[in-house]
Structure formats: structure tokens, C-alpha cells
Amino acid sequence: MLLVERWILAVLRNRSFFSLEELNREIARLLPRLNERAFKKLPGSRRALFEQLDYPALRPLPAEAYEFAEWKKVGVNIDYHVEVDGHYYSVPYPLVRKSLEARFSARTVECFHKGQRVASHLRSPLKGRHTTVAEHMPIAHRQYAEWTPQRLIRWAEKTGPATAGVIQTILERRAHPQQGFRSCLGILRLGKGFGEERLEAACRRALTLGACSYKSIESILRKGLDRRALTQQQELDLPIEHDNLRGSDYYH
């Protein structure tokens, strides 16, 4: 380092550079003079020793540049997607409920099952969104085992019509209903922690405000807003009649 400072950095210390490329060109111009300079106490030079010892042992560079990547264990949800950094990526649907390993870099997300790569996607920065490969879906949208949109709607109807309306709304908003399963299941599980009566009231409020999402309903329950009356809004008359809500019969 001391020699590099004296023979290269000291020479350039009073010059101004406006790009990394320009600086690298000047370093490359000065570097041979340092490498070819004869040793004082040994025969030869740095270049001579490199060509004698190091060069014969060198191997070809990899075809692709090294890319830093991280690994994490992920579980495959019933919607056959895994979560990586807030985004959901599809894997082949027979892997539902399996545990996979995800390798993710700045550009790609890869999923491995028992050491075999089963899915590869371009990484997306969009939180809460889905990247879905059509080949990963069940044929004709036949859900893996018993999970279907109509089953989720029937389950929600046991809590109440407002809860069913929220589930229908979420399924309608997705390009593929399966992409809404994770959110729907999360909402239905809120009934276990807060009670089905409160969940129904929270869903009624969410429908009125047009805030049909897991985060919105969870926030309503956590803040106790389901116990408060809506001001300057009228409660919806249920069951819900709306052109965008086609009902459970649509999925048959």
C-alpha cells in the first residue's frame, strides 16, 4: 500500500477527475511502471513474479459476474405463493404447504425444494402484490384440494353478510381469485382473536368506507373503531347488491 500511495496516489493527488472511468484510465497508465520496477533486495519485479507464480494458477473468470444473494426459508401458502420482502411469488401448486428455500438477489428470486430449483422470477419492489406464472396454477383453476373461492365465501357467511361481502370484494379485485386467498384467510382468522361479532361490525364499516383489505380491517379492530358509529355516512343495507359483486354462484 505504501508503494501504491507513493507511485500512483501521490502522482495524482493534485489532479481532479470527473468520472470513475477517467480515474481508472490514469491508474492503468501508472500501474505498469510500478509493477515493472525492479526489486531492491530480490531479483526481478512484481510483474515477473506474477507471470512466474500466479499467472499459471489462474482460472477463467465465471461467465457471469458475482451477484450477492440472500437465503431464507419460506412456506407455500394455499394460494401457492411465497412471500419475499413483502411481495408474493408463485411456485408450482403441488408444493402447497411445503417448506422451500428462497434465494433472492437484487434482480431475481429463486425457490428451491430439496435442492432443486422449482421457480424463478424477476424480483419486484411492489409490496403486497403478486407475481404469478400461469404454469404454476392448477388446471382450469381447480384449487389444490378443497380450497375454492366459494368455500371462503361460505365460511365468511357464517360470520355475517358484511364479512362475506368483504371476501367477495377482495376476490373480485384480483386477476386470479387465488391471489386474494391469503388476505381472505387473514381476515377470517381475525374472528378468532376479536370475536365474530366484532369482525362483522368491522367488515360492515370497511364496506361502507371502501376499505376492504386485511390491514384496514385489522386496524379497525385494533383501534376499536368497529364499536363507533360512522359519522356522515349511512350504513349499507345487507345483503349487498352491487354490480361488481357477482356472488359465490359466479365461481361454480
Side-chain angles (χ1 to χ4, degrees):
M1 288 301 298
L2 179 61
L3 290 174
V4 171
E5 290 178 355
R6 289 175 176 174
W7 286 77
I8 296 179
L9 298 183
V11 176
L12 302 176
R13 67 184 183 279
N14 294 323
R15 294 188 55 182
S16 298
F17 298 93
F18 299 96
S19 70
L20 184 60
E21 292 77 10
E22 184 182 358
L23 173 61
N24 283 335
R25 281 197 300 269
E26 287 303 303
I27 293 175
R29 184 179 64 82
L30 296 172
L31 188 59
R33 185 177 66 157
L34 172 62
N35 288 334
E36 293 168 3
R37 179 172 177 266
F39 291 125
K40 289 184 177 181
K41 297 182 180 181
L42 295 173
S45 64
R46 287 172 177 78
R47 176 177 290 279
L49 284 181
F50 170 78
E51 292 176 349
Q52 178 185 351
L53 300 176
D54 298 305
Y55 184 77
L58 292 179
R59 296 180 179 180
L61 292 173
E64 298 181 359
Y66 172 77
E67 186 176 36
F68 175 77
E70 299 179 73
W71 291 79
K72 68 175 289 190
K73 289 188 176 181
V74 294
V76 183
N77 198 270
I78 65 163
D79 61 0
Y80 57 87
H81 286 70
V82 299
E83 181 271 327
V84 175
D85 195 24
H87 191 88
Y88 302 101
Y89 300 89
S90 67
V91 299
Y93 74 94
L95 296 174
V96 166
R97 295 191 177 95
K98 300 291 186 182
S99 179
L100 308 182
E101 289 186 318
R103 178 186 182 274
F104 51 102
S105 66
R107 296 185 302 167
T108 60
V109 172
E110 299 172 285
C111 295
F112 295 82
H113 181 239
K114 296 183 178 179
Q116 299 295 318
R117 189 173 73 172
V118 295
S120 179
H121 302 275
L122 290 175
R123 189 168 180 178
S124 173
L126 302 176
K127 307 291 186 182
R129 305 290 287 276
H130 291 71
T131 296
T132 305
V133 174
E135 288 76 10
H136 293 163
M137 296 179 175
I139 297 174
H141 294 287
R142 288 197 297 268
Q143 274 63 40
Y144 21 90
E146 71 279 12
W147 289 103
T148 60
Q150 57 264 36
R151 183 187 179 192
L152 289 173
I153 294 171
R154 288 197 299 269
W155 186 3
E157 287 172 345
K158 295 179 181 179
T159 301
T163 305
V166 167
I167 298 305
Q168 289 179 18
T169 300
I170 292 173
L171 295 175
E172 291 288 339
R173 287 176 177 173
R174 301 291 184 174
H176 305 289
Q178 299 90 339
Q179 295 177 348
F181 282 11
R182 186 187 299 262
S183 179
C184 291
L185 287 172
I187 290 170
L188 293 174
R189 290 192 189 101
L190 290 173
K192 295 182 179 179
F194 293 94
E196 293 188 352
E197 185 176 349
R198 288 193 63 192
L199 175 59
E200 175 69 5
C203 288
R204 181 184 293 270
R205 188 182 188 95
L207 284 167
T208 303
L209 299 176
C212 295
S213 70
Y214 172 83
K215 288 185 177 180
S216 296
I217 294 172
E218 190 271 340
S219 178
I220 290 172
L221 290 167
R222 180 167 43 82
K223 296 178 181 179
L225 299 179
D226 55 293
R227 296 189 173 106
R228 302 181 186 177
L230 284 167
T231 59
Q232 299 178 351
Q233 297 265 359
Q234 291 184 348
E235 292 285 352
L236 292 179
D237 293 326
L238 299 172
I240 301 162
E241 297 292 339
H242 194 287
D243 291 340
N244 291 332
L245 300 181
R246 290 173 283 188
S248 57
D249 292 339
Y250 168 77
Y251 296 102
H252 288 290

